[in-house]
Amino acid sequence: MKKRMRLTLLACIAIVLLAGCEQKSAPTLSAVTEGIDIDLSVLSNTVIYSQIDNMLSEPWNYLGKTVRIKGALNFYVNDWGDSCSSVLVADATACCSQGIEFVWKNDGVSSDFYPSIGDEITVTGRFETYERDGSNFIHLVDADVAWETI
Amino acid sequence: MISTLQQYLQFPFVRYALIVGTLIALCSSLLGVTLVLKHFSFIGDGLSHVAFGAMTVAAVLQLSNDMLFVMPATILCAVLLLKAGKGARIQGDAAVAMISVGALAIGYLLLNLFSTSSNLSGDVCSTLFGSTSILTLTKEVVWLCAALSVAVVVLFVLFYNKIFAVTFDEDFSRAVGTNVEGYNLLIAVVIAVIIVLAMNLVGSLLISALIIFPALSAMRLFKSFKQVTLCSAVLSVACALGGMLISILAGTPVGSTIVAMDIAVFLLFSLIARFRA
């Protein structure tokens, strides 16, 4: 019994040491999608929702990074009367949504080519924060927006 | 799938969720055996509703860290419920039911009347069902959960023999000089701590499943307290890990997926037990 336990312990130590020797070369997110630092368009809704929540709570980790996100387009008017665009992602139960405001590249396109509210869009932009009346907000700037036309 | 999983594991909040979720599942399974044997299976539900009510009060008061209010409130209710004993005018299950629905109703009413949240129904839904709560923990909460979970496991290991004695025969334990009231108080406090932590994993409404299913599954196959406890711990951790990974990969709600895994394991163990018999 003692010999078996000793052998088991040695085996465990050997496995741990071998695992430690293995070169850690897990692909970085940027290697998955070239030019994109954080590609949320390939992730499940559960993780997308959580990632956006993390961006809201720890924005300093994402400043200047290129983010791609796929979700539903939404237009709204903020507390200061500005028209804003955002991309929304619902969580798995669809009762909660997280979204990121974005600023269209070159101030957007002509009204003939805007997608409609609720249309699925893919937004790629640079993550920045801004302050307004003492509150901090996040958004994607210089955003490229792609959507499917029927 | 391995490469996809490796991708997801690069996110720190996914790693935190897996670590904290595993620890919470381990703690809940350990005390789950005691609760099931003492016929207090539904206390998890009752206390989680109390914690929900306390959370809404903390939200209305705009406390920066709601854990400072939720934990003591839940501990107090756990002590009152579990120490009520045979002399109480309102007995076990009735007391649990009364406090459970009362806290849930008052909590939701307070949120509707005084909440400043822009998505009230979403916040309530997320708290009740734990769809992504475990994936949105701040670093401070992660450390707190990990520390409390380790403390619970250490307490259980240190006081295992006394907990075993108090669970099976309180009168005999009292007769041989064991401080039964003290150990019942300890169990009540630990259960309250576990409930508050487990709300992050599966939400308020599904906590009972996290506590009772692993214990019941283990009892299908094993008869000794130690075997049931060990098996329950292994099952709980496996189901929690498996449930979290499936929900991350497939985009399903975390709490429901974990409970679905618990149910599947319970059915499997019941089948095995039937074939053995």
Side-chain angles (χ1 to χ4, degrees):
Chain A
M1 182 68 170
K2 270 190 183 173
K3 193 181 174 182
R4 211 181 296 162
M5 279 180 68
R6 219 177 289 150
L7 285 171
T8 312
L9 186 62
L10 280 170
C12 290
I13 292 169
I15 290 167
V16 167
L17 285 173
L18 282 171
C21 286
E22 179 195 336
Q23 195 168 4
K24 289 195 167 75
S25 57
T28 60
L29 288 169
S30 57
V32 175
T33 316
E34 211 172 293
I36 308 293
D37 295 312
I38 301 169
D39 190 353
L40 302 180
S41 63
V42 297
L43 304 177
S44 69
N45 271 18
T46 300
V47 176
I48 294 173
Y49 183 93
S50 308
Q51 173 67 77
I52 296 175
D53 189 89
N54 195 249
M55 285 175 168
L56 285 166
S57 54
E58 297 180 359
W60 49 88
N61 290 331
Y62 303 96
L63 288 175
K65 293 203 169 157
T66 304
V67 177
R68 174 182 288 169
I69 178 169
K70 189 191 283 188
L73 174 66
N74 185 43
F75 294 117
Y76 64 98
V77 177
N78 66 14
D79 292 342
W80 296 275
D82 305 321
S83 295
C84 300
S85 308
S86 68
V87 53
L88 298 178
V89 176
D91 76 342
T93 56
C95 69
C96 307
S97 291
Q98 284 278 25
I100 296 184
E101 181 194 335
F102 65 90
V103 179
W104 297 72
K105 194 181 233 180
N106 302 323
D107 293 323
V109 297
S110 75
S111 59
D112 290 345
F113 298 101
Y114 270 123
S116 306
I117 290 177
D119 282 354
E120 189 173 84
I121 58 172
T122 303
V123 178
T124 308
R126 193 175 67 252
F127 186 92
E128 299 288 349
T129 60
Y130 65 96
E131 194 190 319
R132 194 101 185 237
D133 288 349
S135 299
N136 290 319
F137 299 89
I138 65 169
H139 62 180
L140 301 179
V141 298
D142 291 332
D144 276 315
V145 183
W147 65 94
E148 281 187 19
T149 50
I150 300 168
Chain B
M1 190 188 292
I2 301 292
S3 62
T4 309
L5 195 55
Q6 276 183 319
Q7 241 186 295
Y8 282 118
L9 288 173
Q10 290 182 58
F11 293 100
F13 58 85
V14 172
R15 295 196 297 270
Y16 295 157
L18 292 175
I19 292 167
V20 172
T22 306
L23 287 172
I24 290 171
L26 174 64
C27 296
S28 58
S29 66
L30 295 177
L31 270 299
V33 177
T34 301
L35 284 179
V36 168
L37 291 171
K38 281 166 105 46
H39 301 289
F40 263 120
S41 302
F42 249 92
I43 202 158
D45 216 45
L47 289 177
S48 68
H49 292 177
V50 167
F52 172 80
M55 214 178 273
T56 60
V57 171
V60 166
L61 295 175
Q62 294 183 338
L63 296 177
S64 56
N65 186 356
D66 57 9
M67 201 75 96
L68 294 172
F69 183 74
V70 174
M71 195 71 82
T74 311
I75 288 173
L76 180 65
C77 270
V79 169
L80 290 171
L81 283 172
L82 285 173
K83 275 175 69 70
K86 293 169 190 164
R89 294 182 74 176
I90 301 174
Q91 292 289 328
D93 60 340
V96 171
M98 200 175 70
I99 289 175
S100 166
V101 296
L104 196 61
I106 299 293
Y108 192 55
L109 186 63
L110 285 174
L111 268 184
N112 267 277
L113 291 174
F114 302 111
S115 175
T116 55
S117 168
S118 56
N119 184 12
L120 173 63
S121 57
D123 291 343
V124 170
C125 180
S126 182
T127 305
L128 291 178
F129 292 101
S131 53
T132 50
S133 314
I134 194 67
L135 289 161
T136 54
L137 300 176
T138 61
K139 222 179 252 183
E140 293 74 29
V141 174
V142 170
W143 278 112
L144 180 65
C145 288
L148 287 172
S149 300
V150 168
V152 166
V153 173
V154 166
L155 277 172
F156 187 84
V157 169
L158 285 177
F159 295 109
Y160 171 80
N161 290 330
K162 297 297 181 191
I163 291 172
F164 170 80
V166 165
T167 299
F168 278 99
D169 197 336
E170 270 191 28
D171 294 330
F172 178 77
S173 303
R174 198 174 282 113
V176 297
T178 302
N179 183 1
V180 171
E181 280 71 31
Y183 284 105
N184 275 333
L185 178 63
L186 175 69
I187 291 170
V189 170
V190 170
I191 286 166
V193 168
I194 291 169
I195 294 298
V196 174
L197 297 180
M199 278 177 67
N200 288 313
L201 183 59
V202 294
S204 292
L205 294 183
L206 301 176
I207 278 180
S208 288
L210 195 70
I211 290 173
I212 64 174
F213 268 113
L216 290 176
S217 301
M219 284 175 193
R220 299 295 99 188
L221 295 185
F222 301 102
K223 300 300 168 199
S224 84
F225 186 75
K226 191 179 262 185
Q227 284 175 336
V228 166
T229 305
L230 285 172
C231 180
S232 172
V234 169
L235 290 179
S236 186
V237 167
C239 290
L241 260 179
M244 281 189 284
L245 290 173
I246 291 171
S247 72
I248 286 167
L249 290 169
T252 56
V254 176
S256 312
T257 311
I258 291 173
V259 173
M261 295 263 316
D262 281 325
I263 293 169
V265 166
F266 173 75
L267 292 173
L268 175 67
F269 273 50
S270 296
L271 264 172
I272 294 172
R274 185 163 282 196
F275 278 122
R276 260 195 189 177

Coordinates of all heavy atoms in Angstrom, one line a residue, chain A residues 64-93:
Chain A
G64 N -7.0 51.5 -26.9 CA -6.2 51.4 -28.1 C -6.3 50.1 -28.9 O -5.8 50.0 -30.0
K65 N -7.0 49.1 -28.3 CA -7.0 47.8 -29.0 C -8.1 47.8 -30.1 O -9.2 48.4 -29.9 CB -7.3 46.7 -28.0 CG -6.1 46.5 -27.0 CD -6.1 45.1 -26.4 CE -4.8 45.0 -25.7 NZ -4.7 44.1 -24.7
T66 N -7.9 47.0 -31.1 CA -8.9 46.9 -32.2 C -9.8 45.8 -31.8 O -9.4 44.6 -31.6 CB -8.2 46.6 -33.5 OG1 -7.2 47.6 -33.8 CG2 -9.2 46.5 -34.7
V67 N -11.1 46.1 -31.8 CA -12.1 45.1 -31.3 C -13.1 44.9 -32.5 O -13.5 45.8 -33.2 CB -12.9 45.7 -30.1 CG1 -14.0 44.7 -29.7 CG2 -11.9 46.0 -29.0
R68 N -13.4 43.6 -32.7 CA -14.5 43.3 -33.6 C -15.6 42.7 -32.9 O -15.4 41.8 -32.0 CB -14.0 42.3 -34.7 CG -15.1 41.8 -35.6 CD -14.6 40.8 -36.7 NE -13.8 41.5 -37.6 CZ -13.1 40.8 -38.5 NH1 -13.0 39.5 -38.5 NH2 -12.3 41.5 -39.4
I69 N -16.8 43.1 -33.1 CA -18.0 42.6 -32.4 C -19.2 42.4 -33.4 O -19.4 43.3 -34.3 CB -18.4 43.5 -31.2 CG1 -19.6 42.9 -30.5 CG2 -18.6 44.9 -31.6 CD1 -19.9 43.6 -29.2
K70 N -19.9 41.4 -33.2 CA -21.1 41.2 -34.1 C -22.4 41.2 -33.2 O -22.4 40.6 -32.1 CB -21.0 39.8 -34.7 CG -22.1 39.6 -35.8 CD -22.2 38.1 -36.3 CE -21.0 37.8 -37.2 NZ -21.1 36.5 -37.8
G71 N -23.4 42.0 -33.6 CA -24.6 42.0 -32.8 C -25.6 42.8 -33.5 O -25.6 43.0 -34.7
A72 N -26.6 43.3 -32.7 CA -27.8 44.0 -33.3 C -27.5 45.5 -33.3 O -27.1 46.0 -32.3 CB -29.1 43.6 -32.6
L73 N -27.8 46.1 -34.4 CA -27.6 47.6 -34.4 C -28.7 48.3 -33.6 O -29.9 47.9 -33.6 CB -27.7 48.1 -35.9 CG -27.7 49.6 -36.1 CD1 -26.3 50.2 -35.7 CD2 -28.0 49.9 -37.6
N74 N -28.3 49.3 -32.9 CA -29.3 50.1 -32.2 C -28.9 51.6 -32.3 O -27.7 52.0 -32.3 CB -29.3 49.7 -30.7 CG -30.3 50.4 -29.9 OD1 -31.5 50.5 -30.4 ND2 -30.0 50.9 -28.7
F75 N -29.9 52.4 -32.6 CA -29.7 53.9 -32.5 C -30.4 54.4 -31.3 O -31.5 54.0 -31.0 CB -30.3 54.6 -33.8 CG -29.6 54.2 -35.1 CD1 -30.3 53.5 -36.1 CD2 -28.3 54.6 -35.3 CE1 -29.6 53.2 -37.2 CE2 -27.6 54.3 -36.4 CZ -28.3 53.6 -37.4
Y76 N -29.8 55.4 -30.6 CA -30.5 56.0 -29.5 C -30.0 57.4 -29.3 O -29.0 57.8 -29.9 CB -30.3 55.2 -28.2 CG -28.8 55.1 -27.8 CD1 -28.3 56.0 -26.8 CD2 -27.9 54.2 -28.4 CE1 -27.0 55.9 -26.4 CE2 -26.6 54.2 -28.0 CZ -26.1 55.0 -27.0 OH -24.8 55.0 -26.6
V77 N -30.7 58.2 -28.5 CA -30.3 59.5 -28.2 C -29.9 59.6 -26.7 O -30.6 59.1 -25.8 CB -31.5 60.5 -28.4 CG1 -31.1 61.9 -28.0 CG2 -32.0 60.5 -29.8
N78 N -28.6 60.0 -26.5 CA -28.1 60.0 -25.1 C -28.7 61.2 -24.3 O -29.5 62.0 -24.7 CB -26.6 60.0 -25.1 CG -26.0 61.2 -25.6 OD1 -26.7 62.3 -25.8 ND2 -24.7 61.2 -26.0
D79 N -28.2 61.2 -23.0 CA -28.8 62.3 -22.1 C -28.4 63.7 -22.5 O -29.0 64.6 -22.0 CB -28.2 62.0 -20.7 CG -28.7 60.7 -20.1 OD1 -29.7 60.2 -20.6 OD2 -28.1 60.2 -19.1
W80 N -27.5 63.8 -23.5 CA -27.1 65.2 -23.9 C -27.7 65.5 -25.3 O -27.3 66.5 -25.9 CB -25.5 65.3 -24.0 CG -24.9 65.1 -22.6 CD1 -24.7 66.1 -21.7 CD2 -24.5 63.9 -22.0 NE1 -24.2 65.5 -20.5 CE2 -24.0 64.2 -20.7 CE3 -24.4 62.5 -22.4 CZ2 -23.5 63.2 -19.8 CZ3 -23.9 61.6 -21.6 CH2 -23.4 61.9 -20.3
G81 N -28.6 64.6 -25.7 CA -29.3 64.9 -27.0 C -28.5 64.5 -28.2 O -28.9 64.9 -29.3
D82 N -27.4 63.8 -28.0 CA -26.7 63.3 -29.2 C -27.2 62.0 -29.7 O -27.6 61.1 -29.0 CB -25.2 63.1 -28.9 CG -24.6 64.4 -28.2 OD1 -24.9 65.5 -28.7 OD2 -23.8 64.2 -27.3
S83 N -27.3 61.9 -31.1 CA -27.6 60.6 -31.7 C -26.4 59.7 -31.6 O -25.4 60.0 -32.1 CB -28.1 60.8 -33.1 OG -29.2 61.6 -33.2
C84 N -26.7 58.5 -31.1 CA -25.5 57.5 -31.0 C -25.9 56.2 -31.6 O -27.1 55.8 -31.8 CB -25.2 57.3 -29.5 SG -24.8 58.7 -28.6
S85 N -24.9 55.5 -32.0 CA -25.1 54.1 -32.6 C -24.4 53.1 -31.6 O -23.4 53.4 -31.0 CB -24.4 54.0 -33.9 OG -24.8 55.0 -34.8
S86 N -25.0 52.0 -31.5 CA -24.4 51.0 -30.6 C -24.7 49.6 -31.2 O -25.7 49.4 -32.0 CB -24.9 51.0 -29.2 OG -26.3 50.7 -29.1
V87 N -23.9 48.6 -30.8 CA -24.1 47.2 -31.2 C -24.4 46.5 -29.9 O -23.7 46.6 -29.0 CB -22.9 46.7 -32.0 CG1 -21.6 46.8 -31.2 CG2 -23.1 45.2 -32.3
L88 N -25.5 45.7 -29.9 CA -26.0 45.0 -28.7 C -25.9 43.5 -28.9 O -26.1 43.0 -30.0 CB -27.5 45.4 -28.5 CG -27.8 46.8 -28.2 CD1 -29.3 46.9 -28.0 CD2 -27.1 47.3 -27.0
V89 N -25.5 42.9 -27.8 CA -25.4 41.4 -27.7 C -26.2 41.0 -26.5 O -26.0 41.5 -25.4 CB -23.9 41.0 -27.6 CG1 -23.9 39.4 -27.5 CG2 -23.1 41.4 -28.8
A90 N -27.1 40.0 -26.7 CA -27.9 39.5 -25.6 C -27.2 38.3 -25.0 O -26.4 37.6 -25.7 CB -29.3 39.1 -26.1
D91 N -27.4 38.1 -23.7 CA -26.9 36.9 -23.0 C -27.7 35.7 -23.4 O -28.7 35.8 -24.1 CB -26.7 37.1 -21.5 CG -28.1 37.0 -20.8 OD1 -29.1 37.1 -21.5 OD2 -28.1 36.8 -19.6
A92 N -27.3 34.6 -22.8 CA -28.0 33.3 -23.2 C -29.5 33.3 -22.9 O -30.2 32.7 -23.6 CB -27.3 32.1 -22.5
T93 N -29.9 33.9 -21.8 CA -31.3 33.9 -21.5 C -32.1 35.0 -22.3 O -33.3 35.1 -22.2 CB -31.6 34.2 -20.0 OG1 -30.9 35.4 -19.6 CG2 -31.0 33.0 -19.2

